Amino acid sequence: MALRPLILFVIAFALGSALATTQGGDFRVESEVYLGSDTEPVFETLTLFAGDVVYDFALGDQSDRTESKEVTVLNKRLGRLVLLDAKRKIQTNLTTRELAEFTAAIRKRATDEPNSGLFSPVFTVAYEEAGRQITMTSDELTYRAKGVSPKDPTAAKRYSNFADWYARLNATRGNVPPFGRIELNRVLAEKGLLPLEIERTTVLNRKKTAAHSKHSVIWTLSNTDRRRIDQAGQMMANLRPVSLKEYWGIKTEVAAKQ
């Protein structure tokens, strides 16, 4: 990407962020992901919703919660994601259209996959209204989710939109196909819920694999959160842009979020 287009893109992105943060309804979601019966999370994120822009921070280890391994910025209005790696001092970006095309391509190839049910899952859905619990079951994929009704009526759809694109992004890293999670996101949004807990069980080659996540929602952004957003803007202005292929080639750690 040439320098002038990059500068213009960063300015547009930053202006979009500045406008978004004045609209109200901002909130934060802290997430922890666990594998199997593990009691320590394998992955933790802080996701900040500031208007139309979402900032997802992959957090460092327990000794330093201020460091982020990677920052993903989704600007829904611009239809673009930016991936920032401060350690390697690089960034890359891709459009939501590119992610959607990738998703369509892997679904098209699903007939050649041994676990094709993960690409077009047909769920039996049960909802327990009193406990706000959703169970979605198919032959190769099962979700159990417990939700909470948000204070902001727009939050469920905003979270669902981000979670859809994040699931697609994770699929580019070779993780579980996004289609089951996208369907869960749809059901959660339809019920007007944000997830508090999600359990996922996959059956691959007759072997079951379980993972679960816990989510904590706070209905405001702190001064520290605002500083994180400012830092992400500075990273977009200063980190060296590379192609998506180069970014994946350099990056060695693959992180999965349910």
Side-chain angles (χ1 to χ4, degrees):
M1 181 183 294
L3 181 59
R4 180 175 174 80
L6 173 63
I7 293 174
L8 293 176
F9 167 69
V10 171
I11 291 174
F13 215 111
L15 286 174
S17 303
L19 292 172
T21 56
T22 65
Q23 294 175 355
D26 300 344
F27 63 100
R28 74 201 306 263
V29 180
E30 299 177 8
S31 303
E32 300 176 338
V33 178
Y34 301 80
L35 296 180
S37 59
D38 290 351
T39 57
E40 293 294 326
V42 295
F43 192 56
E44 299 179 66
T45 64
L46 170 63
T47 309
L48 306 179
F49 291 78
D52 287 337
V53 184
V54 186
Y55 302 82
D56 187 79
F57 299 85
L59 299 180
D61 58 32
Q62 294 293 333
S63 64
D64 189 352
R65 310 305 290 150
T66 64
E67 289 294 325
S68 299
K69 298 178 181 179
E70 182 182 66
V71 183
T72 302
V73 186
L74 168 65
N75 190 314
K76 180 182 176 182
R77 183 169 56 83
L78 297 180
R80 187 172 294 271
L81 294 96
V82 180
L83 309 182
L84 306 165
D85 191 327
K87 184 176 181 180
R88 295 178 175 84
K89 295 182 172 57
I90 58 172
Q91 65 174 308
T92 193
N93 70 83
L94 66 162
T95 66
T96 53
R97 179 178 178 178
E98 289 170 333
L99 268 183
E101 290 174 349
F102 171 82
T103 302
I106 62 173
R107 172 167 266 173
K108 187 176 181 180
R109 296 197 303 267
T111 54
D112 300 326
E113 298 289 339
N115 300 289
S116 58
L118 293 177
F119 295 83
S120 298
V122 178
F123 288 110
T124 299
V125 181
Y127 178 55
E128 183 188 333
E129 187 170 1
R132 295 183 176 88
Q133 296 186 16
I134 298 168
T135 302
M136 301 174 57
T137 306
S138 70
D139 290 341
E140 295 174 304
L141 184 62
T142 297
Y143 279 105
R144 292 181 177 86
K146 182 178 181 180
V148 62
S149 297
K151 293 182 179 180
D152 181 349
T154 70
K157 287 186 177 180
R158 289 163 64 193
Y159 182 88
S160 176
N161 179 265
F162 166 74
D164 283 354
W165 291 115
Y166 202 94
R168 293 183 178 99
L169 180 63
N170 269 337
T172 70
R173 294 165 162 163
N175 293 312
V176 174
F179 309 107
R181 179 58 195 262
I182 289 173
E183 181 63 13
L184 173 63
N185 295 337
R186 185 193 67 78
V187 175
L188 282 165
E190 185 180 77
K191 302 296 183 183
L193 299 175
L194 289 178
L196 288 179
E197 298 179 9
I198 298 175
E199 297 180 9
R200 186 192 69 197
T201 303
T202 57
V203 181
L204 301 174
N205 301 318
R206 300 183 180 179
K207 181 181 179 180
K208 287 187 177 181
T209 303
H212 67 280
S213 61
K214 297 179 180 179
H215 309 271
S216 176
V217 185
I218 299 176
W219 297 105
T220 186
L221 299 186
S222 66
N223 290 335
T224 300
D225 294 334
R226 300 291 182 185
R227 285 194 292 270
R228 283 185 180 273
I229 290 173
D230 290 342
Q231 290 168 0
Q234 293 170 10
M235 291 167 67
M236 283 190 285
N238 296 322
L239 296 185
R240 179 172 64 91
V242 300
S243 68
L244 183 62
K245 183 178 180 180
E246 183 179 352
Y247 187 90
W248 287 152
I250 295 173
K251 188 173 179 61
T252 58
E253 180 173 336
V254 176
K257 177 191 279 189
Q258 276 193 357

